[in-house]
Amino acid sequence: MVDITELILDDHREQRRLFAILEQIDRAETDVLSAIWDRLAAFLELHAKAEEEIFYPELLQVGIAARRADRVEDETLDAIHDHNEIRDAVAAVAQHQVGTDDWYAAVAAANLANSDHMAEEEREGLTDFRRLAGLSRRHRLAVAFAAYEARNYAGVEAVDEDPAGYIREVENKLPTESEPSTEDQPPATENKPAPSNGSLSVGSLKRN
């Protein structure tokens, strides 16, 4: 069975591979550099949007049901904030002529922003989701994730999200009572009750 956490990791590996390829191409081959960067930039945005549409709403839902709302909320806020930073870094690359020192510096900044995000997501969000969600759920989401990326292979528009606003919008779509299925039931390590209305109450949480 395919697993959404594995598909996300596959995307991360491909992003790292493309950044590594850029570092090994002669700067005089601007057509090649441009072609690979354009593919990578589009892929970064498609991956981020697929996570925002498919993965993070589910992470929030299972976190609420498992009484770990604060943790998954913080992870989601960080992820959306990171996506915005990556978008900004990608946009900055377009301000420079391909193959110049400034262009390489902008690409390196995008690589750093993306690498930091991937490392944090792999350490936190993906790990938590494997603990909280059963394999059948991860399989169903993997199919949806793969379908989203396939349907939007030509690219999606890069638009920054307000992290707290994103979570509020997701919460408003959650069921009133969010209870995990048997396969998704985590160990009982916390006694804090989940909000009865499914809300994570993020109104006071802000990102600079």
Side-chain angles (χ1 to χ4, degrees):
M1 298 177 72
V2 291
D3 180 334
I4 188 171
T5 65
E6 289 300 322
L7 292 190
I8 290 173
L9 288 172
D10 287 343
D11 278 5
H12 289 183
R13 284 187 281 269
E14 178 64 5
Q15 290 164 20
R16 291 183 174 108
R17 186 181 75 88
L18 291 171
F19 272 114
I21 289 173
L22 285 174
E23 295 171 355
Q24 300 173 61
I25 297 171
D26 191 294
R27 67 171 57 211
E29 297 187 69
T30 54
D31 288 347
V32 177
L33 289 170
S34 182
I36 293 175
W37 170 253
D38 287 348
R39 179 182 183 277
L40 174 54
F43 183 34
L44 290 170
E45 180 57 35
L46 177 58
H47 174 79
K49 193 64 176 176
E51 288 187 336
E52 291 167 5
E53 292 289 327
I54 308 297
F55 176 66
Y56 279 100
E58 294 283 334
L59 177 62
L60 287 168
Q61 185 169 10
V62 296
I64 292 172
R67 295 178 172 83
R68 299 182 184 181
D70 289 345
R71 180 179 176 89
V72 296
E73 180 186 65
D74 285 343
E75 289 170 356
T76 303
L77 283 166
D78 285 343
I80 304 305
H81 177 73
D82 289 349
H83 286 176
N84 290 340
E85 287 194 336
I86 295 165
R87 290 180 178 115
D88 292 344
V90 168
V93 175
Q95 305 304 311
H96 306 289
Q97 184 177 345
V98 177
T100 63
D101 288 345
D102 288 342
W103 184 84
Y104 275 105
V107 169
N111 190 4
L112 179 60
N114 191 57
S115 295
D116 288 348
H117 166 66
M118 291 189 298
E120 185 174 38
E121 185 173 69
E122 291 167 8
R123 185 174 63 251
E124 298 177 355
L126 296 181
T127 297
D128 281 344
F129 198 70
R130 282 190 292 269
R131 290 170 176 164
L132 297 173
L135 182 56
S136 63
R137 184 175 198 156
R138 302 201 309 268
H139 171 78
R140 172 177 58 81
L141 293 173
V143 172
F145 190 89
Y148 184 92
E149 290 194 327
R151 292 183 181 124
N152 294 282
Y153 70 93
V156 293
E157 183 180 3
V159 178
D160 281 356
E161 294 275 359
D162 169 54
Y166 169 86
I167 293 183
R168 283 194 295 269
E169 183 177 353
V170 170
E171 290 170 348
N172 288 337
K173 297 177 182 178
L174 294 180
T176 301
E177 294 292 338
S178 184
E179 294 295 335
S181 65
T182 301
E183 67 175 0
D184 288 349
Q185 184 67 50
T189 58
E190 297 186 31
N191 296 319
K192 181 172 60 177
S196 61
N197 63 356
S199 173
L200 300 184
S201 303
V202 299
S204 63
L205 296 175
K206 303 294 182 184
R207 288 286 172 199
N208 295 327

